[in-house]
Amino acid sequence: MEQKKVFETYESEVRSYCRSFPSVFQKAKGSIITDVDGKEYFDFFCGAGAVNYGHNNDVIKEKLIAYLQNDGILHALDMMTDSKSEFLEFFEEQVLKPRGLNYKVMFVGPTGTNGVEAALKLARKVKQRESIWALMGCFHGMTLASLALTSDKDSRKGAGIPLEYVTHIPAPYMFENLDTISYMETLLTDDHSGVEKPAALIIETVQAEGGIHVFDAAWLQGVRNLCDRHDILLIVDDIQVGCARTGTFFSFERANIIPDIVVLSKSIGGIGLPFALTLFKPELDIWSPGEHNGTFRGNQLAIVAAKAGLEYMLKHHIEAEVQRKSILIKDYLTKHIPSDKASVRGIGMIWGIDVYCGEYSAAITKKCFENGLIIERAGRDNSVVKLMPALTIPDQQLLDGLAIICQAVKSVLLF
Amino acid sequence: MEQKKVFETYESEVRSYCRSFPSVFQKAKGSIITDVDGKEYFDFFCGAGAVNYGHNNDVIKEKLIAYLQNDGILHALDMMTDSKSEFLEFFEEQVLKPRGLNYKVMFVGPTGTNGVEAALKLARKVKQRESIWALMGCFHGMTLASLALTSDKDSRKGAGIPLEYVTHIPAPYMFENLDTISYMETLLTDDHSGVEKPAALIIETVQAEGGIHVFDAAWLQGVRNLCDRHDILLIVDDIQVGCARTGTFFSFERANIIPDIVVLSKSIGGIGLPFALTLFKPELDIWSPGEHNGTFRGNQLAIVAAKAGLEYMLKHHIEAEVQRKSILIKDYLTKHIPSDKASVRGIGMIWGIDVYCGEYSAAITKKCFENGLIIERAGRDNSVVKLMPALTIPDQQLLDGLAIICQAVKSVLLF
Amino acid sequence: MEQKKVFETYESEVRSYCRSFPSVFQKAKGSIITDVDGKEYFDFFCGAGAVNYGHNNDVIKEKLIAYLQNDGILHALDMMTDSKSEFLEFFEEQVLKPRGLNYKVMFVGPTGTNGVEAALKLARKVKQRESIWALMGCFHGMTLASLALTSDKDSRKGAGIPLEYVTHIPAPYMFENLDTISYMETLLTDDHSGVEKPAALIIETVQAEGGIHVFDAAWLQGVRNLCDRHDILLIVDDIQVGCARTGTFFSFERANIIPDIVVLSKSIGGIGLPFALTLFKPELDIWSPGEHNGTFRGNQLAIVAAKAGLEYMLKHHIEAEVQRKSILIKDYLTKHIPSDKASVRGIGMIWGIDVYCGEYSAAITKKCFENGLIIERAGRDNSVVKLMPALTIPDQQLLDGLAIICQAVKSVLLF
Amino acid sequence: MEQKKVFETYESEVRSYCRSFPSVFQKAKGSIITDVDGKEYFDFFCGAGAVNYGHNNDVIKEKLIAYLQNDGILHALDMMTDSKSEFLEFFEEQVLKPRGLNYKVMFVGPTGTNGVEAALKLARKVKQRESIWALMGCFHGMTLASLALTSDKDSRKGAGIPLEYVTHIPAPYMFENLDTISYMETLLTDDHSGVEKPAALIIETVQAEGGIHVFDAAWLQGVRNLCDRHDILLIVDDIQVGCARTGTFFSFERANIIPDIVVLSKSIGGIGLPFALTLFKPELDIWSPGEHNGTFRGNQLAIVAAKAGLEYMLKHHIEAEVQRKSILIKDYLTKHIPSDKASVRGIGMIWGIDVYCGEYSAAITKKCFENGLIIERAGRDNSVVKLMPALTIPDQQLLDGLAIICQAVKSVLLF
């Protein structure tokens, strides 16, 4: 059967990205994806942040091949393994400690949403409260507890049951004259607010799916402070913008705050393998053994890749590189896109071009694909073209990609 | 730092299996796992059914190495890929069609619980009802929607919020004089039952975590019939006992029934890699694009392994092998364990020795581990020693393992 | 406007009994109701048990008129009043103490459902558990918390939201071979039942709306015992069958059990005025002031009537009268209704004739109305003709009424 | 037993107002309540608005006595009665039609909270949505569905289960720079707000329990407009401030809006008898017969009083009287209470003196009671002294009462 026909015939209608990028892909290297016909594409999507260190990063890949060739144990549930020990020690010693963090590490089912579910269970258990506060505009996953947080209508309506125990708080960019910190303060202190005190407030420091909204450091500090004063846990979902995407390994470093719980996934898997971690302060570690579990929580191959990825990041000063390239991206976009036509927002190597209209953004990404570049959309009405190139992308490829994008924007917005 | 110390220091208290099997493991091959000190263990646990075709099965492993060496695309979200096309076609043509099935395939987040969450979303969407019926004794996962089904107290109390929209139905083995099919019939037809009509009934054909309870074919047919008469979807969770574990690829084949939705995970990943599928009849495929999604739903390496695993299963007549070895296991256990001391239950290559007491079962599995065999427990009070050797285990290893187990049982139960 | 037209034009479609009994009523005395045309009807419905001591009982009525004429305070929220003091003391000294009960009295909003809501709040507060167990076939009211208990489909579907935190237990008459006490025992002790331990079990000792099912004393004692062993509160909803309806003031006296919480309404108001009480053991009285409240919880006129009603009941030995008339009813019904045509069930002065078919029962009650007798239906498919004459009905009126009913049954069932 | 001892011994700890006003009351007439020792009190509480036309209003009272003497039917469930017909016709012809309203009338269980529960059921049924929006600061009752709306912490915590399916919207007085209408608009139109579209928005036009916050006509019109544009029902809970309390029979008349559903209770009962009505536009009347019901929904004595009360209100031009006295109250309070010491807010004959501190307000109401005046508190921290004299209070009594109150305020606030 013709390959595309295979998908139409056998795969569920739920498939989505294959509709935007209707090629059959075969290989990938760095920032280039190649389809079965040999056509190459710049990847400015990067699995929504899952391959920050580039496709098939050789350093990481070699470790995997060696592990396989050596019959390294691949499936071990949450038993102790050599590779896991090495990862754990490296992560604590080389990543957490230098950043002043001493989180306990929980290996969860290898998806971001599973990490969020674990975080919610723990927060509720620790604080003995049912409610969680999340921000309007947020995205935290698609399994039920995470989905109750996730704010977009399309995702929510899939639940089929009411999504409860969550209160959505206006995001700071939504109402010009509303101080969202003091709004939350009022909800907590007004004895007639009708809103339950939450176990935790969960945030992304940059709302990615919400449309690339970067929360400033002062707001993040305000949130940390509010949570401290009211005995509320602060959870940072760093699934999409962690792993150096914003210029520091953890996205909250720029605000000098320490969340109580952090969720990592996507690029923590190093090379695109399923992996997720939930990190939390040691005093919160009141789990009973096995109270949250899952068959693939010890995905050894991903653990090997994870350590290799972290090593790579540190050795190649990826954080500094991101900061450098960030300026490059910003300058290019602001230079080429008139500010009265679209809004350019971002940090590190996650940027959005908000063209204020879903049809325009769709036309832009379609044109990009025709011109050999894969890029996705986000935000309200999907009106934001979302740039997430690999952090390792060579400057020239980055500039070439930006050129394709800006040209597409220009052709659609007609300036 | 000493390796075991690494885990105690850095890993969350939620870790569990590492407490039962306190070695640091390094390699694995077939049915043998080796720790860092070179000590070998028979694996009668198999990742709770995740490595049915043996650890590091060479046929599968070689395909993975080749894919990596060739820079095959590793992360592709749900875009079309060469490897996925091949898997899909093989699965439909070689696995489903010969069994008279024509399910649509949904690639879900690579964990069983994610597959169950997708199944529940779909069932609720199709039937526009909120309730799901599950059986007492069941286990379907640990994320919120799945957890609401899962019946054991310890898992449930981790939720931190009420687990609702589920009615638990007595399992057929629980009340001697209660016909559970007609019990459900009454709930549906009595206008004063107080119980909502469900969108779906979800079952395992063999309750594994519930204590190795095999539901007979007549009961499975009764359930299928009940669902048909009342317009209720039948979901079979084949995560643990699918993939030939019971002697046929799908565990429900022995009853000649066709569920509306099937969830596969664990060994569908071929070699222990995270993977999960939700299958359903084409007429149920009313998903909107992306209505359920997840970053790792296209885990290409697992897809490669999945196809290789299926090929291996078919080529090596694993189903027939399981049926043959099943008799071997049953005969050995019934011969060596007095029926007045323990109850032996099982099918295919999943067997339980119910010693009616959690302390006894703990002592038995501890002794097994001391004697070089990894085996877990299940069921009420964890009183059931649960045998799940690889389907590919050589006869002699199987017999050696059974000897270790029966000796341990004998030494604890004193017969 | 013609009177019936007034109702059709202005009153909501939700009106119901006026459809079964399409006359405009004006006066009532004892067991006779008179419509605006002067036509008289025997009342075998009695406001579903709200006028046990007869319409406009003169003894009670005179007290009300005197209270009004004396400008007795009519509305006092829950302030202390003379009349409330007298009621409270009389109720405790003359009703509770002689029966070995020392309940605290809570004046709730003057409806049965409000009393049930208060009972549920208190049970959940005391036990710090969310779940309540109720029986299939039960009716406990129509506000949200009560409605979640109420078992009939028609009532439940009005909620518009899921009805949760309740598990429905099979009633003892439903499954011949199921011991419902040991069924509940299993739900509580099986660590894989999936069913939460409840704060309370709520029962009617006679399911009235469920179809006149009388639970025998041994079962009631078994339930009391089960609750004791598992630290679960036992709530008896005595709204419909309390106030001497079954032959003792509280319906549970015949089983010699003491519930933890009791809800009274309907005839506790003496003469049909809105009134409800929630009674509970003193050690459960952990309410904060005003934690449950309502504007009309001190309905003084009803309080005056309530005391007068209790005095009347005691002075006229209504309990003994009920026991005497019960035999009269039973004998008459069993003599005139062939047991192969219908099932006759009841106790005291609540009896049901189950004709196994809603259309038959509708035809019977319609014929009764034509022949000057008001009577309602209950149970599954409303197949039970439900006899609830005033406890004070003179023997001849009772027999005349029974004759009308049996004649109607005969004419419909054709025997 | 000494009377006060009776309450301490037998009544539940839930009793509340009797703690603030520790006398045993016996009689009441107009605006004067008399205790058993003959001490008289001005009643500036009026049963929280339940006796707007004065205690034992003779015109109403005589009708009740005559009805009783004539053996008028007292309990009739929702059968048609002479008195109900007369009430219905009068209410429609004399109250609704002159105000341009043509609501259908639903007789609900005789408590405000029951009327709210009915309103919510209907709204959810009509719109097939689960969510309801309510305002922070609101109070709508204490049974479960109403309690989920009610905003104060103390009431909410009594539920014992999560209160869900409600989103609380900031009240317009809460955040200075937040336009609450456009806030709601955003929740509805932002596809990432995470907030479900509600079936209805429920408001009080004056938040009474919330602390006497009067919503201005423009805001009420904005709300009506918002609901129209988004197909959301507008429910006005007029339980406390309806029945002419604000100067028009319905409190929303001043804004010239027509709510879709209106709930009345308290003074609709004429003389303090339990009664409640839910009114709605005819096109919403999609109830099935009996879909919401209750034993006392046809409280005939209250129905007689209700009609008499309405006649009295119209004949004596109570609405105009309220408007006249309103100025009197406002002038007196603003003259005697320095605006830097307390905030005076109100409309018609409901006024609040916000002393910004619960201890102060407690001291003030205590002093009032000592000086022979009953008055309650409301609002955040109960910091608002709440004036609700009978609408019929003679001017001199009103002034005498105001003098007592202002003197108490002065003595506590020390000005």
Side-chain angles (χ1 to χ4, degrees), chain A residues 130 135-138 150-154 156 161-166 168 170 174-175 177-178 182-183 186-196 209-210 379-382, chain D residues 130 135-138 150-154 156 161-166 168 170 174-175 177-178 182-183 186-196 209-210 379-382:
Chain A
E130 287 160 334
L135 290 191
M136 297 181 190
C138 76
T150 291
S151 64
D152 72 281
K153 272 196 172 55
D154 288 343
R156 294 177 71 80
I161 49 174
L163 295 171
E164 299 290 336
Y165 310 116
V166 174
H168 284 92
M174 287 174 65
F175 299 96
N177 296 311
L178 184 70
S182 78
Y183 175 82
T186 298
L187 295 197
L188 292 165
T189 55
D190 181 354
D191 59 18
H192 281 62
S193 74
V195 178
E196 308 298 320
E209 298 304 317
R380 276 65 173 193
D381 192 30
N382 269 319
Chain D
E130 287 159 335
L135 290 190
M136 297 180 189
C138 76
T150 291
S151 63
D152 71 282
K153 272 195 171 57
D154 288 345
R156 293 177 71 81
I161 49 173
L163 295 170
E164 299 290 334
Y165 310 116
V166 174
H168 284 90
M174 286 175 65
F175 299 95
N177 296 310
L178 184 70
S182 77
Y183 175 82
T186 298
L187 295 197
L188 292 165
T189 55
D190 181 354
D191 60 18
H192 281 62
S193 74
V195 179
E196 308 298 319
E209 298 304 317
R380 275 65 173 191
D381 192 31
N382 268 319

Side-chain angles (χ1 to χ4, degrees), chain B residues 209-331:
Chain B
E209 298 303 318
I212 322 300
H213 293 282
V214 183
F215 298 149
D216 61 38
W219 188 85
L220 294 170
Q221 288 154 5
V223 152
R224 175 68 279 182
N225 189 265
L226 177 88
C227 289
D228 285 342
R229 278 182 288 112
H230 291 283
D231 184 33
I232 295 167
L233 296 175
L234 177 63
I235 305 174
V236 169
D237 174 343
D238 236 5
I239 295 172
Q240 184 152 169
V241 300
C243 296
R245 172 60 60 183
T246 64
T248 51
F249 181 75
F250 291 110
S251 73
F252 51 79
E253 294 177 46
R254 66 182 160 99
N256 254 317
I257 60 166
I258 298 182
D260 301 291
I261 306 179
V262 179
V263 185
L264 288 178
S265 184
K266 298 199 189 264
S267 279
I268 188 68
I271 197 166
L273 296 182
F275 196 44
L277 297 174
T278 301
L279 315 175
F280 35 81
K281 292 182 177 170
E283 61 268 29
L284 305 180
D285 193 15
I286 62 169
W287 286 112
S288 303
E291 198 169 358
H292 181 78
N293 62 41
T295 296
F296 297 115
R297 65 194 182 280
N299 183 13
Q300 301 298 315
L301 215 49
I303 287 173
V304 170
K307 174 159 174 274
L310 294 175
E311 287 169 339
Y312 181 89
M313 176 198 66
L314 293 175
K315 183 172 172 193
H316 294 272
H317 309 292
I318 296 293
E319 291 165 296
E321 271 293 278
V322 168
Q323 291 168 29
R324 183 182 65 77
K325 289 177 190 166
S326 181
I327 295 165
L328 204 155
I329 299 172
K330 184 181 183 181
D331 288 351

Side-chain angles (χ1 to χ4, degrees), chain B residues 29 51 87 90 120 164 214 241 286 371:
Chain B
K29 194 75 184 179
V51 284
F87 167 78
F90 186 88
L120 301 182
E164 299 289 335
V214 183
V241 300
I286 62 169
N371 293 330

